[in-house]
Structures are given as structure tokens and as C-alpha cells.
Amino acid sequence: ANDGAERTAEVVVGYKGAESITLSVKQEAAAPEALSVAIEELTGNSCITEVTPVDPEMYYVMYKSDLSYFIDNNLLTAEALFDDDMFYFKRGAEFDGLSLKEYMENNKVLFQNVTRANWPDLRPANRQVLYVYGIEFNEDFTDCTRITDVVWMLIDPPMAELGGATFDVSYGVK
């Protein structure tokens, strides 16, 4: 896999008693990911993430939930996740009398540009999934289309390190 710049390899093909030929194989540079997600800091009870879109004007959804939610609801594909999100977002927007875009902004799931997020609600050994995907709204912001792959990231908060402990216990029997 090429995760960098364009590159070329020279391949020599031949066999005993025949003239060898040299082939030049060129591999294009890898296209940058539409969205990159990084965990900047992780403790037993919090996490800081950073999302960087290739296009700073692109809208994207960023959300986090318990791993069990995805498993229990069979949200194991990008399509299933997007459909599930849109069901809830559209229903909420209609209930609140807002456009889909306004609803998503008000609920802090819609972003643009680089976003550094603090997730202070973690618990050790309670695995979470952070997911991010790019979207494009229709003209009146009442609907949208997913325009990128979903970037899934497992957040697995570590257990606290146990230190040595000593106790003095004294008792008396009468």
C-alpha cells in the first residue's frame, strides 16, 4: 500500500539463456483521507480527540457512543450507522421545528474545520466508539448525503495503575 508520495520501481524480468527486460512500474501518490482522526490524550476517565478534514469547509458528523450500542443495534456498516443517525436527527429536527442542519448544530454533532474535542465522560474498561463522516446538505438544509467513508475509532480507557499498599493492623483481644 502506498500511503505517501508517488513512487517508481524497476523490475527486471528474465530467465537463464534469455535476454532480461526491465519494466518500470509507477504508483500514483495516495489520495489523502477526507477526514483524519487522532486520539491526542487518553486517561481512564477522559479523552481528547482531533479531527482534521482535507476540506475545511466540509460539514462532518462527529459522535461517540458505547460499543455495546453499535453491537446491540447491528450498526456494523457505514450505511446502517448513517441511516440510524438520520432517523434520530430528522425526527428531532421535525419535533423542534428546525432544519436538519440547525438541529445538528444545536446538538453539537455537526462540525467544520479542525475540531479538538474533550470527552470527559469515560470510564475504565467501558469501550466507546468515536465515529466521523462527511456530509453534504441539500439546498434548504432539510436533508443530507454522506460524502465520505465513516472513520471509526475505538476508545478503550485504561484501568488505573494499582500502586503498592501497606496496612498496619493492630487489635486487642480481651
Side-chain angles (χ1 to χ4, degrees), residues 91-149:
R91 190 171 74 173
E94 183 179 334
F95 182 80
D96 291 352
L98 300 171
S99 71
L100 180 61
K101 180 178 179 269
E102 290 169 326
Y103 180 81
M104 293 168 74
E105 287 173 332
N106 290 350
N107 286 276
K108 298 178 177 37
V109 297
L110 183 66
F111 301 89
Q112 284 181 298
N113 215 331
V114 175
T115 301
R116 190 171 165 88
N118 183 25
W119 307 95
D121 59 344
L122 302 182
R123 295 184 315 275
N126 181 14
R127 296 188 298 177
Q128 303 276 306
V129 175
L130 173 72
Y131 64 87
V132 182
Y133 57 84
I135 60 172
E136 186 173 88
F137 287 100
N138 65 353
E139 288 182 14
D140 63 358
F141 300 104
T142 58
D143 201 4
C144 67
T145 305
R146 184 172 56 87
I147 59 171
T148 70
D149 289 335

Side-chain angles (χ1 to χ4, degrees), residues 20-133:
S20 298
I21 60 168
T22 302
L23 303 172
S24 182
V25 179
K26 184 177 178 181
Q27 186 177 32
E28 301 282 332
E33 293 293 326
L35 294 159
S36 69
V37 181
I39 294 178
E40 300 288 320
E41 185 179 317
L42 177 63
T43 68
N45 62 2
S46 70
C47 179
I48 296 173
T49 59
E50 186 171 283
V51 176
T52 306
V54 168
D55 175 3
E57 298 298 313
M58 177 179 64
Y59 288 104
Y60 60 91
V61 171
M62 175 174 60
Y63 197 70
K64 176 187 67 63
S65 191
D66 287 347
L67 176 61
S68 61
Y69 177 79
F70 297 91
I71 295 168
D72 294 346
N73 292 286
N74 202 29
L75 302 177
L76 306 176
T77 66
E79 293 76 18
L81 175 66
F82 181 73
D83 290 346
D84 186 67
D85 277 356
M86 289 304 113
F87 173 79
Y88 287 103
F89 297 159
K90 288 177 181 179
R91 190 171 74 173
E94 183 179 334
F95 182 80
D96 291 352
L98 300 171
S99 71
L100 180 61
K101 180 178 179 269
E102 290 169 326
Y103 180 81
M104 293 168 74
E105 287 173 332
N106 290 350
N107 286 276
K108 298 178 177 37
V109 297
L110 183 66
F111 301 89
Q112 284 181 298
N113 215 331
V114 175
T115 301
R116 190 171 165 88
N118 183 25
W119 307 95
D121 59 344
L122 302 182
R123 295 184 315 275
N126 181 14
R127 296 188 298 177
Q128 303 276 306
V129 175
L130 173 72
Y131 64 87
V132 182
Y133 57 84

